[in-house]
Amino acid sequence: VLASCGAAGGDPSLAYYTAAAVELIHTLSLIHDDIIDRDARRRGHPTTHTVWGIPISIVAADFLMPKAYMCVLESRGSVPDDKLLHIIRKLSTAGAELSQGQAMDILFEKASRVADEEYFLMASKKTAALFGASAWSGGMIGGATEAQAEGLERYGFNMGLGFQLVDDILGVTGDECLTGKPLGSDIRQGKKTLVIMKAIEMSDSGSREVLMSLLGKHDATESEITTALEIVGESGAIPEIERLAKNYAQRALDSLNNLELRGYTDTLVELAQMAVEREL
């Protein structure tokens, strides 16, 4: 949000409240996500529902959505009302898509197979939509033209897809001390991430059968999870998904071409690179 505002020629401090609003929307989605996935840790700390219980955590997450819109409105006086209205509409749309994407992700757990197209539709809603809305909103506050705002939205959207692909990889390769999330939770939950679906597709019949038998086994032992992760690693799926993630990062950067941005391009480039090169 802040970098896009500066890239459009605006003062990033004018976008502080909208940036905070995006973080509140993101945070509420994580609270819900941890409840759905039964995860006990997030960012190296106990998840909200493990500390306060599920009912209070649901209410806390619900509270953050109207609070996000209240945050946007704190910019009244420094940002024109018509822009704030457009930003609230954009963030509302992204929030609705996020919920749709999360619902698809849940339903995928019971599916025997998820096509690539279905996965990317889910990821575009669950993750990329909010990335795109963030960049668009910052650009609008910064005085972006319609073409610049659309270009920044494409930048955020593609970066979001790359980010989600790497998130899926870290779900099976990440260091728990860095990611702050339990390794192998995607296996236990039966997540049909692209890396897992590709691993099933690229493994030999014996390994495929073992992996599919462990996918969605909530009471899987540590040894079984280790076996599943080894199969994913040996399948060759991870390098393929890494290349795909970097491709989306490049698409994000290509979206900035010919926008005549006024600065902060180095920051936007660094963000896109970080999204697909991170270890947490």
Side-chain angles (χ1 to χ4, degrees), residues 7 116 152 160 162 179-180 265:
D116 290 4
L152 287 167
T179 64
T265 51

Side-chain angles (χ1 to χ4, degrees), residues 101-205:
Q102 182 66 61
M104 292 178 68
D105 197 24
I106 295 169
L107 293 173
F108 284 173
E109 293 176 16
K110 298 187 180 299
S112 59
R113 184 182 181 279
V114 173
D116 290 4
E117 296 79 8
E118 294 175 302
Y119 169 86
F120 280 109
L121 178 60
M122 178 277 294
S124 69
K125 290 176 175 290
K126 180 182 176 182
T127 305
L130 187 58
F131 273 74
S134 301
W136 183 92
S137 298
M140 287 296 291
I141 293 172
T145 64
E146 183 175 346
Q148 287 175 325
E150 289 176 354
L152 287 167
E153 184 170 18
R154 286 193 299 274
Y155 158 83
F157 184 87
N158 283 297
M159 181 171 66
L161 287 176
F163 183 97
Q164 183 59 61
L165 288 168
V166 171
D167 212 52
D168 295 344
I169 292 172
L170 292 176
V172 294
T173 67
D175 183 336
E176 288 186 41
C177 294
L178 293 176
T179 64
K181 292 184 64 178
L183 188 62
S185 61
D186 283 356
I187 300 292
R188 284 195 172 94
Q189 294 301 320
K191 294 287 186 182
K192 301 301 190 302
T193 63
L194 195 62
V195 67
I196 290 175
M197 293 309 297
K198 287 296 181 186
I200 291 173
E201 179 184 313
M202 298 170 67
S203 295
D204 60 58
S205 59

